[in-house]
Amino acid sequence: MGRKRKGNKVDGWLVIDKPLGMTSTQVVGKCRWVTKAQKIGHGGTLDPLASGILPIACGEATKTIPFIMDARKIYVFTVTFGESRSTDDAEGEIVATSDHRPGAADITEVLPEFIGCIQQTPPAYSAIKIDGKRAYDLARAGEDFEIKSRNVDIFDLKMLSLDGDQATLQVTCGKGTYVRSLARDLALRLNTVGYVSFLRRTAVGPFDLAKSISLEKLEELGHSAPPEDWILPVVTVLDDILALAVTEEQATLLSHGQALSVSGPIESGIVRAMAGERLVALCETDQNPDMTILRPVRVFNF
């Protein structure tokens, strides 16, 4: 027999409003301490100088982390013009200055250039790996290295306010986007320099601030209410994936990793097999003329 996993059987998503100054790993540790969950992880890192939505997966929800990592994200951020920082945020040293300050019309005019599939070079102080080493470790050691640019998706970008040398914007973006790089490049396009002085993530996929709780609230709920009262279901991140009803007999087959034949065509891709309200498996579809083969790629144990 296998060794019994320590901790509580807790399955679902916690949506934490991460405070400033904490690392994502520290937030995971706090959630692990409160929930005593057998398995726990986060769905996308937030820098210590950023606050906002940090999805935390417990138990079976950890199998759905890739779906939240790929989800759209919304950030509100402030660009401070006139200074360039080594880290592209307020933590770094000043490496360049400029007396030029763009006006509201200047900023609004160039924003469309940053919407769509754009090329972006991640900051030197980032978790990108260069020959197996993290870029921020190389940067701190003073080593010279090059980070290749890559394509990222910006779905929307708008200015919310301009106050002196600080512009506050909101961006909706895809996986892998660095807001620090966006702020840096926007400033350069406006013939000045700038860095992110404020960063808050307000949404990740289906999770927004309305669904979030603070760590203090989590600790309070952890002592006063059962987990089902404050943890969101695993399927919350799978709402846009086609649900297919299966019988208990079919669910048993899928749970044992066996493929299943169902009559009629089903759109190709990933579907979620549901036995009533219970998530059974995520399956790939294999089309045949008169039937569809479901092949389980993620099986859930509820």
Side-chain angles (χ1 to χ4, degrees):
M1 293 178 62
R3 180 181 298 176
K4 186 177 180 181
R5 188 185 292 270
K6 293 182 179 179
N8 299 328
K9 173 68 171 166
V10 180
D11 300 305
W13 284 94
L14 285 168
V15 185
I16 300 299
D17 186 351
K18 187 189 87 66
L20 289 171
M22 287 189 75
T23 67
S24 298
T25 300
Q26 287 172 328
V27 174
V28 169
K30 181 73 171 179
C31 292
R32 179 181 288 111
W33 179 79
V34 172
T35 64
K36 305 294 190 296
Q38 293 175 349
K39 194 174 184 182
I40 196 166
H42 65 72
T45 302
L46 263 184
D47 292 340
L49 292 184
S51 67
I53 299 297
L54 182 64
I56 304 292
C58 299
E60 293 298 283
T62 58
K63 297 176 181 178
T64 64
I65 284 178
F67 293 92
I68 206 67
M69 295 285 282
D70 290 342
R72 292 188 182 193
K73 299 160 181 72
I74 301 177
Y75 296 88
V76 172
F77 65 103
T78 297
V79 186
T80 295
F81 296 111
E83 291 181 355
S84 175
R85 301 287 183 104
S86 57
T87 57
D88 295 314
D89 62 18
E91 192 175 34
E93 298 177 354
I94 299 172
V95 294
T97 60
S98 171
D99 293 329
H100 179 60
R101 300 294 184 271
D106 301 320
I107 298 170
T108 302
E109 183 180 1
V110 304
L111 291 184
E113 299 177 22
F114 293 88
I115 298 174
C117 181
I118 67 169
Q119 276 214 326
Q120 184 183 81
T121 302
Y125 285 81
S126 65
I128 299 294
K129 282 193 173 183
I130 309 293
D131 296 328
K133 296 182 179 180
R134 297 291 185 186
Y136 53 67
D137 288 330
L138 296 174
R140 287 168 185 154
E143 296 189 26
D144 291 328
F145 60 95
E146 181 181 354
I147 299 180
K148 294 181 179 179
S149 63
R150 57 187 184 178
N151 292 332
V152 297
D153 292 315
I154 307 293
F155 303 104
D156 186 50
L157 178 63
K158 57 188 177 185
M159 187 173 69
L160 302 180
S161 65
L162 178 63
D163 183 8
D165 59 1
Q166 293 189 323
T168 298
L169 302 97
Q170 177 178 287
V171 62
T172 304
C173 57
K175 180 181 180 181
T177 302
Y178 277 91
V179 177
R180 286 180 288 150
S181 295
L182 180 62
R184 176 199 65 207
D185 296 344
L186 175 63
L188 291 173
R189 175 63 182 83
L190 292 163
N191 299 312
T192 185
V193 291
Y195 66 93
V196 170
S197 54
F198 169 85
L199 179 60
R200 182 161 174 78
R201 188 157 67 189
T202 59
V204 179
F207 303 138
D208 57 21
L209 291 172
K211 295 185 178 72
S212 70
I213 58 175
S214 66
L215 286 173
E216 291 76 16
K217 185 65 174 178
L218 172 64
E219 190 167 356
E220 177 186 322
L221 290 170
H223 293 302
S224 63
E228 55 267 23
D229 286 358
W230 39 270
I231 287 189
L232 298 174
V234 174
V235 294
T236 307
V237 302
L238 306 174
D239 280 349
D240 58 349
I241 296 176
L242 178 67
L244 181 68
V246 296
T247 65
E248 285 296 337
E249 183 180 0
Q250 292 171 325
T252 299
L253 292 175
L254 291 173
S255 296
H256 291 139
Q258 298 183 39
L260 186 68
S261 299
V262 295
S263 60
I266 299 174
E267 66 178 62
S268 60
I270 298 291
V271 300
R272 53 186 170 108
M274 305 288 296
E277 296 296 316
R278 179 168 62 91
L279 176 63
V280 177
L282 291 172
C283 304
E284 290 181 339
T285 59
D286 186 5
Q287 301 287 344
N288 284 330
D290 300 318
M291 65 178 60
T292 300
I293 308 297
L294 301 181
R295 304 187 189 281
V297 293
R298 285 284 186 278
V299 173
F300 297 87
N301 303 306
F302 293 112

